[in-house]
Amino acid sequence: MNHLKLSKFPTFYAIGLSYKKADATMRGKFSLDEIAKTKLLEQAKLEGLDSLFVVSTCNRTEIYGFAEHPFQLIKLLCDNSQGTVEEFQKIAYIYKNQEAITFLFRVGTGLDSQILGDFEIISQIRNSFVESKKANLANAFLERLVNAVIQASKRVKNETELCSGATSVAFAAVNYIFNTVDDLENKNILLFGTGKIGRNTCENLVKHTKHKNITLINRTKTKAEIIAGKFNLIVKDYINLPEEIHKADILVVATGAQNPTIDKNLLNLKKPLLILDLSIPKNVNENVKQIEGVSLVHMDFLSQITDETLEKRKEQVPFAESIIEEIKEEFNAWMRARKFAPTIHALKEKLNAIKEGELDFQRKKIANFDQEQAELISNRIIQKITTHFANHLKNDNSMVDDSIEWIEKIFQIETTVK
């Protein structure tokens, strides 16, 4: 990528970890909240990196950006999370240049999601890029690439059935409740945490179970009140959490806390309690299982639940991949054009300089010299010559770097990309 002169570093990397090799505990160690992400960007600038963005969700934490060596990005992640380099090496992946570009396309279109076709990640990518741009850590390459991935995501969503049906972690949680809890209409459901997954879970609970006996609790009560207002639900203060758990038959935990907020000391139960932990890092201590009657289910288990919807989605993967290839080729064509455009521009200037010298010579030598006709013919010849060179450089089979070097050497021109 260094030929594009977009970054002072030569290689574009994607480094990170996901649900594929990292369990919930390990993903929790490497997860980054908003404060940690801001610190990471600040550290990147201090360490001289000039273009990157970071994504951290319940299923993955990744950094996409330019570096001399991937360890520069790995160090940023480990310095701002609870994970170590040794742990990262056991569960991580590193992609570079075209592999990194392809990987980002697959992530952004839901092909790499824990539940196939879950498109929530694209908003995370968009928002993360915006934050990097605000921090002056986004070059033209990164902006063009993210926009291309957003375009691919929209087309996959609109032109395929990859996201048909309701298959997401939130829906899987509701589906599990619906299929495993008897007499659901008479059960009390407590939702603790109203972030994105919490909101989606709440909406799915109301939509798919028609259950109104739901209580919401959030550390910031106003956020819970906004959601409750949409569905006419009950909101309680955070201080009331222990007594509301005592009343609940089902507890859904979807907070963004970095440490467990629910443990056995908080539970004073007189009846069975089903707990669904949809948080990363885990927000329910495993010690709750020591209490008789408590069942604990984590989101990783819910994500393994498949149905006909998921099978139908798999049939759509080739269509999604063809859309990705089409938009990725447009992006690569932009890169190639950006790469050789300065050379073509410099070649045109060189040919124009030769033309001006020759016309000046002929004007002095030939009586009644037709300057206007000579200009017209010369300009058409120059245009045809530069078009031939441009078409050659656009050709996928061309050795672009070698061709650019040859043109610059033969015509004695120098080019720079700003």
Side-chain angles (χ1 to χ4, degrees):
M1 297 287 174
N2 55 338
H3 56 258
L4 292 172
K5 310 283 195 304
L6 287 165
S7 169
K8 62 184 178 182
F9 298 102
T11 308
F12 177 65
Y13 289 104
I15 68 103
L17 54 110
S18 75
Y19 67 93
K20 289 185 176 179
K21 290 184 68 176
D23 60 21
T25 300
M26 195 58 68
R27 297 202 305 277
K29 282 190 174 186
F30 285 94
S31 68
L32 302 167
D33 59 18
E34 294 306 313
I35 294 174
K37 282 193 268 189
T38 299
K39 288 182 177 178
L40 187 151
L41 295 180
E42 291 171 352
Q43 182 179 335
K45 293 182 76 171
L46 289 173
E47 295 184 1
L49 297 173
D50 55 20
S51 191
L52 59 86
F53 71 93
V54 57
V55 174
S56 186
T57 72
C58 57
N59 291 327
R60 62 182 66 250
T61 299
E62 295 160 345
I63 299 177
Y64 298 87
F66 284 87
E68 184 74 36
H69 189 278
F71 184 75
Q72 292 170 287
L73 304 180
I74 296 168
K75 180 177 181 296
L76 284 178
L77 177 56
C78 294
D79 284 352
N80 291 281
S81 70
Q82 303 301 313
T84 66
V85 174
E86 291 74 22
E87 289 170 326
F88 180 87
Q89 290 174 331
K90 294 177 182 177
I91 57 174
Y93 39 79
I94 298 172
Y95 301 105
K96 60 187 291 188
N97 295 336
Q98 280 297 322
E99 286 185 345
I101 291 170
T102 299
F103 180 68
L104 180 56
F105 270 100
R106 293 187 68 83
V107 170
T109 53
L111 292 182
D112 201 72
S113 296
Q114 189 168 24
I115 294 182
L116 181 66
D118 188 345
F119 280 87
E120 291 183 7
I121 185 65
I122 194 63
S123 62
Q124 296 273 0
I125 292 172
R126 182 192 294 108
N127 295 339
S128 296
F129 172 76
V130 168
E131 291 304 310
S132 288
K133 192 170 183 180
K134 287 179 182 177
N136 294 317
L137 281 168
N139 59 20
F141 169 92
L142 214 55
E143 182 159 21
R144 185 87 179 204
L145 176 58
V146 170
N147 285 336
V149 172
I150 292 171
Q151 180 190 358
S153 176
K154 288 179 180 177
R155 283 192 55 188
V156 168
K157 192 177 296 184
N158 294 332
E159 298 175 25
T160 76
E161 296 180 9
L162 189 69
C163 62
S164 63
T167 303
S168 66
V169 171
F171 177 74
V174 175
N175 201 40
Y176 181 83
I177 292 171
F178 193 77
N179 291 327
T180 59
V181 178
D182 295 327
D183 193 25
L184 184 59
E185 290 184 0
N186 296 313
K187 303 297 185 184
N188 294 321
I189 301 175
L190 174 61
L191 177 60
F192 177 38
T194 53
K196 189 162 189 177
I197 290 181
R199 293 195 305 272
N200 290 345
T201 302
C202 182
E203 185 174 347
N204 277 294
L205 278 169
V206 175
K207 178 180 177 182
H208 295 285
T209 69
K210 308 298 181 186
H211 200 315
K212 295 294 183 181
N213 198 16
I214 301 171
T215 300
L216 306 184
I217 291 181
N218 195 63
R219 288 181 185 272
T220 306
K221 188 177 181 180
T222 52
K223 292 182 179 180
E225 288 174 335
I226 292 171
I227 298 169
K230 291 174 60 179
F231 304 110
N232 193 27
L233 304 176
I234 302 166
V235 176
K236 295 289 185 176
D237 292 316
Y238 176 63
I239 197 172
N240 299 124
L241 182 61
E243 63 185 81
E244 292 303 320
I245 292 176
H246 181 71
K247 298 176 186 176
D249 299 289
I250 302 164
L251 170 61
V252 180
V253 182
T255 75
Q258 292 298 300
N259 297 299
T261 53
I262 306 293
D263 64 22
K264 68 176 185 179
N265 297 322
L266 198 64
L267 307 184
N268 180 24
L269 306 179
K270 292 186 178 180
K271 59 180 177 179
L273 178 66
L274 169 63
I275 304 177
L276 277 67
D277 187 359
L278 310 185
S279 310
I280 291 292
K282 289 181 178 179
N283 268 206
V284 180
N285 196 312
E286 293 287 325
N287 64 18
V288 300
K289 292 191 289 188
Q290 298 171 11
I291 300 176
E292 186 177 354
V294 171
S295 301
L296 175 61
V297 177
H298 194 263
M299 66 178 300
D300 277 1
F301 172 77
L302 296 172
S303 297
Q304 294 170 8
I305 299 173
T306 59
D307 56 15
E308 288 184 19
T309 299
L310 195 54
E311 293 304 313
K312 289 179 180 178
R313 288 185 178 196
K314 289 179 181 178
E315 296 174 1
Q316 299 296 308
V317 170
F319 302 108
E321 289 176 334
S322 66
I323 290 172
I324 289 173
E325 286 304 310
E326 180 183 335
I327 296 177
K328 191 172 70 171
E329 177 49 38
E330 291 174 1
F331 174 76
N332 287 332
W334 170 81
M335 282 202 299
R336 288 195 298 271
R338 184 181 176 92
K339 181 178 181 180
F340 65 71
T343 299
I344 295 299
H345 180 72
L347 173 61
K348 197 167 188 176
E349 287 187 339
K350 182 74 171 186
L351 294 175
N352 275 316
I354 295 172
K355 177 198 76 173
E356 291 299 331
E358 185 61 25
L359 292 183
D360 185 57
F361 174 78
Q362 296 297 338
R363 188 170 51 251
K364 294 174 181 177
K365 185 177 179 181
I366 301 173
N368 301 318
F369 180 69
D370 191 337
Q371 176 80 19
E372 184 177 347
Q373 187 68 16
E375 284 274 2
L376 179 63
I377 294 171
S378 300
N379 289 339
R380 284 179 60 83
I381 292 172
I382 289 172
Q383 183 61 40
K384 288 181 180 295
I385 292 172
T386 52
T387 298
H388 273 287
F389 277 110
N391 288 338
H392 167 75
L393 293 171
K394 286 179 184 177
N395 192 314
D396 290 342
N397 296 322
S398 297
M399 301 294 290
V400 180
D401 288 331
D402 290 344
S403 296
I404 288 175
E405 184 179 352
W406 179 84
I407 293 169
E408 291 176 351
K409 184 176 181 180
I410 295 297
F411 289 94
Q412 298 179 342
I413 55 179
E414 293 183 2
T415 60
T416 57
V417 179
K418 296 181 180 181

